[in-house]
Amino acid sequence: MPQDEYIITLPPPTANGGLHVGHMSGPFLAADVFYKYHRLAGHRCVVTSYSDVNQSYVRVTAERQKRDPRELARHWTQDIRETLEIYGSDVDEFYYPDETSEAFVRETFLKLFRDRIIRKKEMPVFYSLERDEYLDEAGVAGYCPRCLAGCKWGICEACAYINDATTLVSPRDTITGSDALELRNIEVLVFEMELFRPALINFYETHRSFRPRYLELITMALAQPLPDFPISVPGEWGIPLNHAELPGQVINAWAEVMAHLVWCYGRTGTSSAHSRIVNFFGFDNSYFYGIVHVALLIASGQQRWLPHATINNEFYNLEHKKFSTSNNHVVWARDLALRYTTDAIRFYAAFNNPGFEKANFSEAGMVSVLRTELIEPWHAIVDEVFSQIGANEGAVALATPEIVALGSAALSRIGMSYTLGHFHLRQAAEDILHLLSFLRERLAHQRLPITDAVYLIKCFAQAAYPIIPIAGGELYRLVSGRQLDVFDLSPAVIVKPLPRSIFERESLIAADAA
Ligand SMILES: [Zn+2]
């Protein structure tokens, strides 16, 4: 049977701040779990992404903080990479855009222009009378014409719909708040998406591996005429278009994502026709990935890089309010990792995951769940196993066929929640806890031979590994004597004492006591 080969993309993070708990618990955790599971299942997987330094949000943050945007982008890119490492996220490539990749992006669009697939056309843009210059997307704030949420020019994070300069409600300068803005029509490069409606319909008729809300957005977008999408915009921050007829323009960073990801795919070395793209991102980027990028990939003859599947997530709120860096309503992922093990944070993020609906993070809630659902049961199991070890310590023994069947069934069920058709982190976490509580109760009632108990721990370690890689890997090594590099259902186990405090740091115990 040919192996599946997956190219997994992390959402290119905007390099104007670090990763908060909402980012980390969303697409970054999901992509990493998907990667870790499929690697153990024997598939070839590559994780790739790049730093989205050319977003106008980087320029606006730099202006607000009176910093050089280049320095800001470098700083946060490094911080983001470190955070991913702290959380044990496997990333094969995290590209920092350079002259070579930017030339590739530019040429992708200039070729589409030469081929008359994108055209020079007038579009309305915002001009600031106070600054005496054109504003970029993040430079203009307003309200979404569709859901009335506060948003920036270009995209509404709340409903994921795009807006333009004529539809954004009550536009004002993001930084100064001034509404002394003028609409000016200027020639830019434009992608007439409506021309690709049949291709989009055909794509979504034959590809259905997307979550319900994403497909709903696609259906609603296709129910009306598709707007023109600007490929170039006036501005200085971004990849210069370098076209004599359109001076002073840069490539729209949302269009750039398509081409920059193609650049990343090309570097993975996966040439096989079996390689499948699986994109991970937050729901707010669905319109770009689902409509703009799909249409652009088809328009540029790059069908082989069309998404095989998409796993997107909803927002993760903090204490029932949106994470907000500017309002300091935020918990940074790397700060949280100073107080708790990354396994504990990852487990709670899976247990409480915003995969299909918005979810709420509170540190107190996390501590409570970890204590009652994971740590206390684990302590009870370890204590019970230790009390029964006796003369068996260090023995290699075989579990009974009955428990091998039960453990294998649990592992298979949990594994299903990591696969494309059924990807569901909450379900996986819940079933991991079922396995743990089964083990605890059977041990407490003295109905489980020690070898069988250790076998179930071996299954637990493997089933939970994609979510809690440090503890999962360590427990598997202890009870099998091997590194975990492929799923293993063999009945052999090694009976030995197990670490009691594998999920907690001192601070969790302190919070627990308080
Ligand atoms: Zn909206």
Side-chain angles (χ1 to χ4, degrees):
M1 201 173 82
Q3 272 192 344
D4 285 336
E5 181 174 273
Y6 292 109
I7 300 178
I8 299 160
T9 66
L10 305 178
T14 307
N16 67 339
L19 296 180
H20 58 58
V21 170
H23 296 128
M24 203 63 223
S25 306
F28 293 94
L29 175 68
D32 193 49
V33 168
F34 184 85
Y35 169 85
K36 283 180 163 64
Y37 171 78
H38 285 85
R39 196 182 58 82
L40 285 190
H43 303 301
R44 178 157 193 258
C45 300
V46 183
V47 180
T48 187
S49 193
Y50 73 97
S51 184
D52 203 3
V53 298
N54 292 313
Q55 287 286 352
S56 50
Y57 293 84
V58 174
R59 189 203 59 73
V60 166
T61 303
E63 183 185 334
R64 195 176 260 140
Q65 298 177 356
K66 301 185 170 49
R67 289 170 76 171
D68 172 15
R70 283 165 204 82
E71 177 269 323
L72 183 92
R74 287 254 170 221
H75 169 84
W76 286 116
T77 300
Q78 181 61 24
D79 185 89
I80 288 164
R81 294 185 66 156
E82 286 168 11
T83 306
L84 289 171
E85 208 174 307
I86 289 167
Y87 276 78
S89 298
D90 288 300
V91 184
D92 295 287
E93 166 133 276
F94 190 91
Y95 200 82
Y96 197 90
D98 57 14
E99 276 182 20
T100 319
S101 69
E102 295 191 346
F104 174 86
V105 172
R106 182 185 302 113
E107 178 53 23
T108 300
F109 293 110
L110 288 179
K111 181 172 187 313
L112 284 173
F113 182 40
R114 289 196 299 272
D115 293 346
R116 297 167 192 264
I117 291 167
I118 58 179
R119 297 175 45 196
K120 209 162 55 164
K121 195 168 173 179
E122 281 199 346
M123 275 197 93
V125 295
F126 287 110
Y127 189 85
S128 163
L129 298 171
E130 286 181 351
R131 293 171 182 259
D132 194 22
E133 63 183 13
Y134 291 107
L135 293 175
D136 52 22
E137 268 194 19
V140 187
Y143 299 91
C144 171
R146 193 165 171 275
C147 77
L148 306 186
C151 70
K152 299 293 191 306
W153 179 21
I155 179 71
C156 169
E157 287 189 347
C159 72
Y161 258 76
I162 54 175
N163 61 67
D164 64 36
T166 62
T167 57
L168 182 70
V169 177
S170 193
R172 61 195 181 276
D173 186 309
T174 302
I175 291 177
T176 67
S178 164
D179 62 359
L181 308 181
E182 200 173 82
L183 277 186
R184 292 192 179 176
N185 282 313
I186 63 163
E187 279 195 319
V188 294
L189 289 186
V190 164
F191 181 44
E192 295 170 313
M193 295 196 295
E194 180 61 20
L195 299 176
F196 290 86
R197 165 184 297 279
L200 283 164
I201 290 172
N202 180 52
F203 176 75
Y204 284 106
E205 274 173 359
T206 48
H207 294 75
R208 303 296 296 174
S209 197
F210 302 96
R211 284 186 159 170
R213 255 193 105 207
Y214 175 101
L215 285 175
E216 184 188 85
L217 181 133
I218 299 297
T219 304
M220 286 196 289
L222 288 172
Q224 41 192 269
L226 293 167
D228 287 349
F229 190 81
I231 297 294
S232 68
V233 289
E236 289 177 355
W237 184 251
I239 301 177
L241 185 65
N242 290 356
H243 195 282
E245 294 171 32
L246 298 163
Q249 296 197 7
V250 294
I251 292 164
N252 181 342
W254 295 117
E256 177 198 328
V257 173
M258 180 284 290
H260 237 133
L261 283 177
V262 168
W263 167 262
C264 291
Y265 301 151
R267 292 173 57 85
T268 59
T270 50
S271 53
S272 134
H274 297 294
S275 64
R276 297 164 172 186
I277 309 288
V278 184
N279 295 136
F280 287 81
F281 54 85
F283 175 71
D284 50 321
N285 281 340
S286 298
Y287 196 102
F288 297 127
Y289 276 86
I291 297 284
V292 181
H293 297 173
V294 167
L296 277 172
L297 286 166
I298 293 170
S300 55
Q302 304 193 84
Q303 281 84 346
R304 70 161 297 208
W305 301 124
L306 282 166
H308 171 72
T310 277
I311 295 177
N312 59 273
N313 60 277
E314 302 294 322
F315 271 117
Y316 205 23
N317 286 331
L318 172 61
E319 306 289 358
H320 300 288
K321 272 187 177 158
K322 211 179 142 185
F323 276 85
S324 164
T325 309
S326 45
N327 294 329
N328 203 27
H329 183 68
V330 72
V331 175
W332 299 111
R334 62 187 300 165
D335 289 349
L336 200 66
L338 296 172
R339 303 199 284 282
Y340 308 96
T341 64
T342 51
D343 272 355
I345 301 166
R346 288 172 63 116
F347 186 81
Y348 181 68
F351 177 89
N352 189 36
N353 198 258
F356 293 88
E357 291 290 343
K358 287 183 182 61
N360 184 59
F361 176 84
S362 83
E363 199 166 327
M366 179 178 84
V367 168
S368 164
V369 165
L370 288 173
R371 187 187 63 222
T372 57
E373 304 295 326
L374 186 66
I375 293 168
E376 282 179 8
W378 178 250
H379 286 176
I381 289 164
V382 169
D383 294 346
E384 199 56 45
V385 166
F386 185 72
S387 75
Q388 293 185 29
I389 278 183
N392 290 315
E393 182 166 345
V396 177
L398 297 181
T400 60
E402 293 72 27
I403 217 73
V404 170
L406 281 179
S408 307
L411 186 52
S412 150
R413 157 135 180 123
I414 295 163
M416 201 172 75
S417 290
Y418 301 138
T419 60
L420 277 181
H422 309 274
F423 195 83
H424 202 313
L425 291 179
R426 281 187 180 221
Q427 189 65 58
E430 192 178 311
D431 288 329
I432 287 166
L433 295 179
H434 290 152
L435 172 54
L436 212 55
S437 105
F438 174 81
L439 174 58
R440 178 194 194 175
E441 287 176 23
R442 292 289 306 274
L443 269 169
H445 295 95
Q446 306 261 314
R447 292 193 198 112
L448 201 59
I450 181 79
T451 309
D452 281 356
V454 176
Y455 184 79
L456 289 181
I457 290 168
K458 181 165 125 172
C459 291
F460 165 75
Q462 296 178 77
Y465 170 82
I467 295 175
I468 51 171
I470 297 171
E474 172 68 0
L475 290 175
Y476 178 81
R477 192 183 62 74
L478 287 169
V479 301
S480 73
R482 292 206 304 263
Q483 295 295 329
L484 180 55
D485 47 23
V486 64
F487 283 121
D488 160 24
L489 293 170
S490 70
V493 292
I494 302 171
V495 176
K496 56 166 59 176
L498 298 166
R500 199 168 188 274
S501 318
I502 201 161
F503 299 114
E504 67 259 54
R505 279 196 208 288
E506 291 304 316
S507 56
L508 186 61
I509 301 165
D512 189 17

